[in-house]
Amino acid sequence: MRTALFPEGFVWGVSTSAFQIEGATDRDGRGPSIWDAFAGGAYGDPACDHYARHPEDVRLMQDLGIAAYRFSVSWPRVLPEGHGRVNDRGLDFYDKLVDELLEAGIAPYATLYHWDLPRALQDGGGWTSREVARHFADYAGVVYDRIGDRVDTWFTFNEPWVAAFLGHASGVHAPGLRSAADAFVSAHHMLLAHGLGLEALRARGAAKAGVVLNLSPVLTPAQLGDMTTGIPEEDAEAVARIDALHNRQFLEPLLRGRYPAELLPLIEKIAGLGHIRDGDLDVIGRPIDLLGVNYYTPIAVQAQPSAPADPAFPGSEGVLFCSVPSAVTAMGWPIMPSGLSLLLRRLSEEYPETELMITENGADFEDVVTGDGIHDVDRISFVEEHLRALRTSIDEGARVRGYLLWSLLDCVEWADGYRRKFGIVHVDFTTQRRLPKDSALWYRDVIKRNGLGAERPKRPTLETVAARAGVSRATVSRVVNGEARVSPDVRAAVLRAVQELGYVPNAAARSLVTQRTDSVALVLSVPRHGGEALTSAVVQYVTSVLEGAGKQITLMLADTAESHRRIVRHVEARQVDGVVLVPPDGPDTLTERLARTGVPVVLLGKPAIASLVPHVDVDNAGGARAATRHLLDRGRRRIGVICGPTDLVAVQDRLAAHLATLHEDGLRPMIALAGLDGASGAAAARELLSGGQDPDAVFATSDELAIGAMEAAREMGLRVPDDLAIVGFGDIHAASCTTPALTTVRVPAADQALALARLLLSRLDGRHTSPVVLPTRLVVRATT
Ligand code: FCB
């Protein structure tokens, strides 16, 4: 690792928000907010009790060398009814806070709206009412009049997309509404409120003012693996639409005084355009001094014609939101520092005049409180990697003036309450005791150095534990692996050291008993079910990715009970650091037996028995839904299903989604069971076609079965697709060679294999991972 220093004057800071830390929701005249009601008393008070403990928190920041502190002002603390009567005691709090910050040499950055709308305003329609934008401007003026002389930088809004769409469309945030129209109207009123608020601040002499957006690059699954890949033509519209909804809906009005052209018809269809009045966009588009960028993770999508709209993205019909094959934070958010570079490059190209600041970036990871601190190496790595990406962007010319880490304290993470840990300072919510984590101390050094050192943050290693316990590395490894031949005293000493250091054993440690092997087992079961293409892709890609990472591959065949025993013995003996398992079709015990060895295992396909083993699967249900919807859209009403062996999990998922889709339209299913090959597909088709129900379409759960059905139809003198439409699943090579060519659902074999290899590498790194479900895609050919 190289040292990476930042430009002189680069601002290092932290961010928080009022509702997430202040508590004291009914003290000193504060009015209720929409989040008090939404939380129902479960969180929000005492939160971090910052209202009372702000002097201590400011001291903490001073000790860390923080140069700027971005906090938010609670609107209902200042104006309990949202407008009219001013609550001076509420203003006193911010007044004191600002003075303390200045005294500590910390620049105060104030955000005026971080989601806690006064309840009284919600009762009058909240953000769906245009009035609220005016009230916001008045509120901005009131706050400025009290602390404006000392605040360095103003942000009107934090993440209006979240407030508008999670609050009003999907309803997972306050005020918890579910109306797509309300979401678009609210978004516009927030933009308007920003413009009017900015005017109020400027009129009073604010020198530096801007707004904070949550921005995410929108990519296809293939681009996530390789950012140099272009966007496939078939996905271009889906990517552009989600980018318009999530990013450009805000960027363009704010920085260009216009809505993205392709967004207007969509807004019009859902909400009308009556709420966008003449002159609004002039107000919204007034120049700002600074754009705050909150970056956490990218968004992955692809086109999927029959996909329903995601509730948080009204207007996203036909777009599939995809999971990302990568390490994730405890929140499940994929970790992609390269997404930050991509985002900054794009902002620099499209809005070169705009100065930027990273106003939030950080991660939720579970922390272990030990006798000598909290060794949150994952959080340090997260920030480190993002800072490296940021440094590169600055080199490339991005005008980024500072970095504000989210967050100073563990705090209330909105609807998730207290369980999320984004802080660099731990808060014990029973005692309110603050404890800086290793990440805080590391960040202090970054600030002091104005950048990153050459040293990578280190996890506590086997060596550290061994030194602490005064034993050898092999002994630690034995204890960690639960071996019997260790005396009780030594075991106790090692376990104490493990606990104190917050040591998480990784694959390397586990295999140290027999030394680290740097080899990985690729365990293959012989597939019963048209899996040859997938199996060969797995062998090819898994091998190349893992070999590229310096691992040797041991290929092992799991075809008999004896071979299963041999494989388990091999892994138990720590001959390998990890296992990629292509499990047998149907229920088996091999997965569980391997998982129990403690060696990281990743699986291809969803396991038959629910398990914690990370796996990569394809969206079987989504594919079957798309296929069935497609037949319905083609006017077919009597749709039969030919269904392969029902002990296969993938087949179960496909069948269930097909049945559910028919059910949505009130249609009755016709099911014919089949085996694996074309002949059994043909037999099942004959059964369906001669059963007196006269199907006009068939969905087969595999291409082999669909091809059999085509033959049966031909024999019976039926024309495909005129008399009988047919859809398969898999998109095997033969599917495009039939006459007519088969409409089917494509399963991304190569992507699945790549994701599997990456998942294992993340596990070997000791990172959190979540199951990956890759999208499937309907390929419309001539049989429908
Ligand atoms: C952002 C919010 C912030 C915090 C982080 C994790 O969307 O602005 O309040 O919840 O996410």
Side-chain angles (χ1 to χ4, degrees), residues 17 20 114-115 158-159 162 214 294 296 333 360 406 413-414 422:
S17 93
Q20 294 178 277
H114 203 125
W115 309 350
N158 177 73
E159 304 191 352
V162 174
N214 56 307
N294 291 358
Y296 290 93
W333 292 352
E360 284 182 30
W406 184 272
E413 177 50 31
W414 305 108
F422 275 92

Side-chain angles (χ1 to χ4, degrees), residues 21 47-51 53-54 56-57 60 409 425-428 431-436:
I21 64 167
C48 305
D49 193 25
H50 173 76
Y51 189 74
R53 291 168 197 264
H54 56 96
E56 179 186 352
D57 293 337
L60 257 171
L409 303 169
V425 174
H426 169 82
V427 176
D428 177 333
T431 61
Q432 290 295 342
R433 201 169 72 96
R434 273 76 166 139
L435 179 67

Side-chain angles (χ1 to χ4, degrees), residues 726-749:
I726 299 182
V727 184
F729 207 113
D731 200 21
I732 59 174
H733 178 65
S736 53
C737 309
T738 53
T739 326
L742 182 65
T743 293
T744 185
V745 176
R746 183 175 300 158
V747 170

